[in-house]
Amino acid sequence: MSEQLSRNDTVARLRETVAALHAELVRYNLVAWTSGNVSARVPGQDLMVIKPSGISYDDLRPDNMVVCDLDGVVVEGDLSPSSDTAAHAYVYRAMPDVGGVVHTHSGYATAWAACGEAIPCYLTAQADEFGGEIPVGPFALIGGDDIGKGIVATLSGHRSPAVLMRNHGVFTVGPNAKAAVKAAVMCEDVARTAHLARALGQPLPIAAEDVDSLYARYQNVYGQNAVPSPRR
Amino acid sequence: MSEQLSRNDTVARLRETVAALHAELVRYNLVAWTSGNVSARVPGQDLMVIKPSGISYDDLRPDNMVVCDLDGVVVEGDLSPSSDTAAHAYVYRAMPDVGGVVHTHSGYATAWAACGEAIPCYLTAQADEFGGEIPVGPFALIGGDDIGKGIVATLSGHRSPAVLMRNHGVFTVGPNAKAAVKAAVMCEDVARTAHLARALGQPLPIAAEDVDSLYARYQNVYGQNAVPSPRR
Amino acid sequence: MSEQLSRNDTVARLRETVAALHAELVRYNLVAWTSGNVSARVPGQDLMVIKPSGISYDDLRPDNMVVCDLDGVVVEGDLSPSSDTAAHAYVYRAMPDVGGVVHTHSGYATAWAACGEAIPCYLTAQADEFGGEIPVGPFALIGGDDIGKGIVATLSGHRSPAVLMRNHGVFTVGPNAKAAVKAAVMCEDVARTAHLARALGQPLPIAAEDVDSLYARYQNVYGQNAVPSPRR
Amino acid sequence: MSEQLSRNDTVARLRETVAALHAELVRYNLVAWTSGNVSARVPGQDLMVIKPSGISYDDLRPDNMVVCDLDGVVVEGDLSPSSDTAAHAYVYRAMPDVGGVVHTHSGYATAWAACGEAIPCYLTAQADEFGGEIPVGPFALIGGDDIGKGIVATLSGHRSPAVLMRNHGVFTVGPNAKAAVKAAVMCEDVARTAHLARALGQPLPIAAEDVDSLYARYQNVYGQNAVPSPRR
């Protein structure tokens, strides 16, 4: 099979994946109307697959996803790409291990972002997934590289795959698009529980060494790709 | 095709649109029982298509929508129109560019309305859609033109397509019914996030010039009718 | 048709109605597991149709509804009736105009009940449906007539078809079961918005004469059985 | 039928039950992504059936459930068991009457756990199901027997079938898996209402003797296995 065919197959598969993953944003109530988006890097290419701008989640299909280069220029597709394309593209250029990016305005996480407060690590699930607090990035206007720069600068100092962009919303990254979607779902889940705990009383922090221990274990043991469990 | 036929086609299409758009109010939990309604102006006619009063969202179909003139008098349909018909009609008479009106009692937005507080602009999404704070209109009794007057007087001084009527709920407008529904969905979304931010701590305001910049960009660049993106 | 046949038809119809109306409790998130119930009086008979105890909402069908007399004694059905049957029965005995009763532990309304606070009338929708505040009834143990007495004593002094039983939950009444279900849905909706308003700031009360005016109008004008709208 | 066949039938039935019960965790919004799990003891065997680790709720089927012994060692199944298997196994070893265990991070209950606060008994429904407050267990790291020990030590002193593990989430037990799932659903429901009551004002406690009376009655009278109701 020629290299061109192989690239076409990869893009076709990622169009399916990216279109389908938006349903998880809807299922977990992370988005209203058309306000969140998922993208995936095309491995080995300077390309990404991303949601078209302003199209209803009900109407997303593999064939209306947009393929852009990593400057955000459209290379395949009749529709304009997400208005957040520049931010996704900046992340892919700056972080070579990132294979998927997700952006939402999910309510609880965005409330923390509106206050400019990082989410403290009150929960073992947060230690597992985020390795500590979920950090806040700067205020940035849409339209250039400012959002992308803010994401990358903030994530660089943290284990967290999620960043709360001030007054704006959440960006998450992962080795692939599904992992970035999982991070977006878990970010809203811990943001909500932490908010509810703050409304109730005095949440108890988890000791830093316990956070480290939980994070190390989870990254190695959880799921089906982990060290095998004992078996007779 | 005669003018009469053309009018009939337009009305038939709007009956479908208006009936279907109520499903978005249900999907986004903006309504309980039968408490919200959508209408559309019939372009070029002094007519509007509106929900019948007290009918379950499950039972809305194109053929039970009600056609009224802009005094709220029924001209087609066996059912009584929404009890909010007078307010919709007033808006269409006073604001010729408005093609759609939506009314809900969506919970977070109505909580702001119950406190008589405008929603401050803490979120870039609010700057995009509403161009700043979402204003509060006066207390008004149902049954005459008082609600309509309050909506129009309040919206006249703002970029916002949404107004919080005191102790009552939300009215939104748009160039067509779908745009007004989008404004109702986004109004509840930002009302919720702003409420959650206030419950958490001290939300940070967005500088006025940044609000202006975000609003200007969004009105021109978002979605598929925007300036085309660069393309090779 | 003999009187016996006619009674059988009426009971059969009410079994369908009562079984189906429980879906509205589920749809509006008023219930968890099996914790709410609907009943209907059999008109002209000293009988009522009620949910069986501890049966999942998924499994409710017309033929597993239970028919009891107004002392709560089963007259038709293989299953035990709702553990709240005595309260429903007491209401039917004491309030001859009541044709339907609903009980839930819906969360926001029950939060007011846990604080022993009536819901003040901050919302025009509450003035419409409840004619003012939603009152709180006494603490009462299940198992005798204490709950029923508390409901009836509290509702007697109010226009409200809903009562918040202290530390317990909501009971609503209506001329028929559907009206009582509507009252349960609207009670939770206004309880939620009033709670959100209190969490936000200082909700503004509605003047007593405006509450009276809204209530009088709504009881006469809303829906399809109202005074006809003007028509050419 | 041989003993071996009988065991196979029992395991096959429990695979169906456990796979299906996870849908209740999803329905009641107790879980995000793959964060909760259900198990059932195989009666008369030192075995349990449990969810595989990191598998989506959409993909759970009887044949991908995992059978472990009560040390957590896999005896049937190609997938790794839940990362919480050690805690489930410890509970089954220590509490011979427990036939089902459920673990979630449901938001409101986990908010109480993050504050290290037991849920006070403000609600008759809580008195019914939990017999008083829902207690808090210690902070414990995952991976050994610490979580299991904390669950068992905390539940031993209480009537409650639910324990809030500090900074972590909820574990519930029951005579079978369905009862443990019901306890998880009701735990989140009362945690939510108690949280809403605390946000509103001063919730009123229920007197200890009333809690006892409610608990005693509910354990004996509720549902279809109760003392028969009077019948003509």
Side-chain angles (χ1 to χ4, degrees):
Chain A
M1 192 163 56
S2 75
E3 193 175 301
Q4 181 63 36
L5 268 177
S6 164
R7 172 188 140 178
N8 288 355
D9 284 358
T10 302
V11 168
R13 186 178 46 76
L14 287 172
R15 285 174 172 277
E16 280 185 36
T17 301
V18 171
L21 281 169
H22 285 87
E24 299 297 319
L25 307 189
V26 172
R27 184 208 294 242
Y28 286 104
N29 289 309
L30 307 188
V31 288
W33 209 252
T34 60
S35 68
N37 38 72
V38 177
S39 71
R41 185 198 292 271
V42 184
Q45 313 280 338
D46 284 339
L47 296 174
M48 66 185 195
V49 177
I50 193 165
K51 179 181 178 293
S53 182
I55 303 296
S56 164
Y57 296 109
D58 290 349
D59 296 332
L60 298 184
R61 300 181 313 274
D63 65 5
N64 58 20
M65 296 296 104
V66 184
V67 182
C68 297
D69 67 20
L70 297 190
D71 294 314
V73 178
V74 175
V75 299
E76 278 182 26
D78 298 326
L79 299 175
S80 300
S82 164
S83 65
D84 299 300
T85 296
H88 290 249
Y90 189 95
V91 172
Y92 290 122
R93 292 201 305 275
M95 302 177 80
D97 293 344
V98 168
V101 177
V102 172
H103 173 50
T104 80
H105 301 159
S106 67
Y108 281 95
T110 302
W112 290 88
C115 292
E117 277 200 61
I119 306 176
C121 191
Y122 302 141
L123 301 169
T124 57
Q126 185 173 340
D128 289 348
E129 297 279 351
F130 300 94
E133 71 168 21
I134 298 178
V136 181
F139 180 82
L141 289 176
I142 196 170
D145 278 344
D146 287 356
I147 293 178
K149 283 179 188 169
I151 296 167
V152 170
T154 310
L155 291 181
S156 301
H158 283 83
R159 291 188 287 217
S160 170
V163 51
L164 311 173
M165 290 299 282
R166 225 192 76 189
N167 297 108
H168 182 174
V170 180
F171 283 86
T172 60
V173 299
N176 53 55
K178 187 176 178 183
V181 170
K182 181 185 178 186
V185 170
M186 298 311 292
C187 179
E188 180 65 4
D189 194 58
V190 300
R192 176 173 175 258
T193 303
H195 187 288
L196 295 174
R198 283 267 289 255
L200 183 67
Q202 294 284 340
L204 304 166
I206 302 180
E209 64 268 26
D210 290 331
V211 172
D212 289 348
S213 165
L214 287 161
Y215 181 70
R217 183 184 181 283
Y218 189 77
Q219 300 304 315
N220 294 317
V221 177
Y222 190 78
Q224 298 299 331
N225 300 318
V227 178
S229 69
R231 185 177 289 265
R232 275 175 186 162
Chain B
M1 191 163 57
S2 75
E3 193 175 300
Q4 181 63 36
L5 269 177
S6 164
R7 172 188 141 177
N8 287 355
D9 283 359
T10 301
V11 168
R13 186 177 46 76
L14 288 173
R15 284 174 171 276
E16 279 185 36
T17 300
V18 171
L21 281 169
H22 285 88
E24 299 296 319
L25 307 188
V26 172
R27 185 208 294 241
Y28 286 104
N29 289 310
L30 308 188
V31 289
W33 209 252
T34 60
S35 67
N37 38 72
V38 177
S39 72
R41 186 198 291 270
V42 184
Q45 313 280 339
D46 284 339
L47 296 176
M48 65 186 195
V49 176
I50 193 165
K51 179 181 179 291
S53 182
I55 302 296
S56 164
Y57 296 109
D58 290 348
D59 296 332
L60 297 185
R61 298 181 314 272
D63 65 5
N64 59 20
M65 295 297 104
V66 184
V67 183
C68 296
D69 67 20
L70 297 190
D71 294 314
V73 178
V74 175
V75 298
E76 278 183 27
D78 298 326
L79 299 174
S80 300
S82 163
S83 66
D84 298 299
T85 296
H88 290 249
Y90 189 95
V91 172
Y92 290 121
R93 292 202 305 274
M95 301 178 81
D97 293 343
V98 168
V101 176
V102 172
H103 173 50
T104 80
H105 301 160
S106 67
Y108 281 94
T110 302
W112 290 88
C115 292
E117 277 200 60
I119 306 175
C121 192
Y122 302 140
L123 301 169
T124 56
Q126 185 172 339
D128 289 346
E129 298 279 351
F130 299 95
E133 71 168 22
I134 299 178
V136 181
F139 180 82
L141 289 176
I142 196 170
D145 279 343
D146 288 356
I147 293 178
K149 284 179 186 169
I151 296 167
V152 170
T154 311
L155 290 182
S156 301
H158 283 82
R159 292 188 286 217
S160 170
V163 51
L164 311 174
M165 290 299 284
R166 224 192 76 188
N167 298 107
H168 182 175
V170 180
F171 282 86
T172 61
V173 298
N176 53 54
K178 188 176 178 183
V181 169
K182 181 185 178 187
V185 170
M186 297 312 291
C187 179
E188 180 65 5
D189 195 57
V190 300
R192 175 172 175 259
T193 303
H195 187 287
L196 295 174
R198 283 267 290 254
L200 183 66
Q202 294 285 340
L204 304 167
I206 302 180
E209 65 269 26
D210 289 332
V211 172
D212 289 348
S213 164
L214 287 161
Y215 181 70
R217 182 183 183 282
Y218 189 77
Q219 300 303 315
N220 294 318
V221 177
Y222 190 79
Q224 297 301 331
N225 301 316
V227 178
S229 70
R231 184 178 290 264
R232 277 177 184 160
Chain C
M1 191 164 56
S2 76
E3 193 173 300
Q4 182 62 34
L5 271 177
S6 164
R7 171 186 141 179
N8 288 355
D9 284 358
T10 301
V11 168
R13 186 176 46 76
L14 289 173
R15 283 175 172 276
E16 280 185 36
T17 300
V18 170
L21 281 169
H22 285 88
E24 300 295 320
L25 307 189
V26 173
R27 183 208 296 242
Y28 286 104
N29 290 310
L30 307 188
V31 290
W33 209 253
T34 61
S35 67
N37 38 72
V38 178
S39 72
R41 186 197 291 272
V42 183
Q45 313 280 338
D46 285 338
L47 297 174
M48 66 185 195
V49 176
I50 193 165
K51 178 181 180 291
S53 182
I55 302 296
S56 164
Y57 296 110
D58 290 349
D59 296 331
L60 297 185
R61 299 181 314 272
D63 66 5
N64 60 19
M65 296 296 105
V66 184
V67 183
C68 296
D69 68 19
L70 297 190
D71 294 314
V73 178
V74 175
V75 298
E76 277 183 28
D78 298 326
L79 299 175
S80 300
S82 163
S83 66
D84 299 298
T85 296
H88 290 248
Y90 189 95
V91 172
Y92 290 122
R93 292 201 306 274
M95 301 178 82
D97 293 343
V98 168
V101 176
V102 172
H103 173 51
T104 80
H105 301 160
S106 67
Y108 282 94
T110 301
W112 291 88
C115 292
E117 277 201 60
I119 306 175
C121 191
Y122 301 139
L123 300 169
T124 56
Q126 185 172 338
D128 289 348
E129 298 279 350
F130 300 95
E133 71 168 22
I134 299 178
V136 181
F139 180 82
L141 289 175
I142 197 170
D145 279 343
D146 288 356
I147 293 177
K149 283 180 186 168
I151 296 166
V152 170
T154 310
L155 291 182
S156 301
H158 283 81
R159 292 188 286 217
S160 169
V163 51
L164 311 174
M165 291 298 285
R166 224 193 75 188
N167 298 107
H168 182 175
V170 180
F171 283 86
T172 60
V173 298
N176 52 55
K178 188 176 178 184
V181 170
K182 181 186 178 187
V185 170
M186 298 312 292
C187 179
E188 181 65 4
D189 194 58
V190 300
R192 175 172 175 259
T193 304
H195 187 286
L196 295 174
R198 283 267 291 255
L200 183 66
Q202 294 285 341
L204 304 166
I206 302 180
E209 64 268 26
D210 289 332
V211 172
D212 289 349
S213 165
L214 287 161
Y215 181 70
R217 183 184 182 284
Y218 189 77
Q219 300 303 315
N220 293 318
V221 176
Y222 190 79
Q224 298 300 330
N225 300 317
V227 178
S229 70
R231 184 177 290 265
R232 276 177 184 159
Chain D
M1 191 163 56
S2 76
E3 194 174 301
Q4 181 63 34
L5 269 178
S6 164
R7 172 188 140 178
N8 288 354
D9 284 359
T10 302
V11 168
R13 185 177 46 76
L14 288 172
R15 283 174 172 277
E16 280 185 36
T17 300
V18 170
L21 280 168
H22 285 87
E24 300 295 319
L25 307 188
V26 173
R27 183 207 297 241
Y28 286 103
N29 291 309
L30 307 188
V31 289
W33 208 254
T34 61
S35 69
N37 38 72
V38 178
S39 72
R41 185 198 291 272
V42 184
Q45 313 280 338
D46 284 339
L47 296 175
M48 65 184 195
V49 177
I50 193 165
K51 179 182 179 292
S53 182
I55 302 296
S56 163
Y57 296 110
D58 290 349
D59 296 331
L60 297 185
R61 299 181 313 273
D63 65 5
N64 59 19
M65 296 296 104
V66 185
V67 183
C68 296
D69 68 19
L70 297 190
D71 294 313
V73 178
V74 175
V75 298
E76 276 183 28
D78 298 325
L79 299 175
S80 299
S82 164
S83 65
D84 299 298
T85 296
H88 289 249
Y90 189 95
V91 172
Y92 290 122
R93 293 201 304 275
M95 301 177 81
D97 293 344
V98 167
V101 176
V102 172
H103 173 50
T104 81
H105 301 159
S106 67
Y108 282 94
T110 302
W112 289 89
C115 292
E117 276 200 61
I119 307 175
C121 192
Y122 301 140
L123 301 170
T124 57
Q126 185 172 340
D128 288 348
E129 297 280 350
F130 299 94
E133 70 168 23
I134 298 178
V136 180
F139 180 83
L141 289 176
I142 197 170
D145 279 344
D146 288 356
I147 293 177
K149 282 180 186 168
I151 297 167
V152 169
T154 311
L155 291 181
S156 301
H158 283 82
R159 292 188 287 215
S160 170
V163 51
L164 310 174
M165 291 299 283
R166 225 192 77 188
N167 298 106
H168 182 174
V170 180
F171 282 86
T172 61
V173 299
N176 52 55
K178 187 176 179 183
V181 170
K182 180 186 179 187
V185 170
M186 298 311 293
C187 179
E188 180 65 5
D189 194 58
V190 301
R192 176 173 175 258
T193 303
H195 187 287
L196 295 174
R198 284 266 290 255
L200 183 67
Q202 294 285 341
L204 305 166
I206 303 180
E209 64 268 26
D210 290 331
V211 172
D212 289 348
S213 165
L214 286 161
Y215 182 70
R217 183 184 181 282
Y218 189 78
Q219 301 303 315
N220 294 318
V221 177
Y222 190 79
Q224 299 299 331
N225 300 318
V227 179
S229 69
R231 184 177 290 264
R232 275 176 184 159

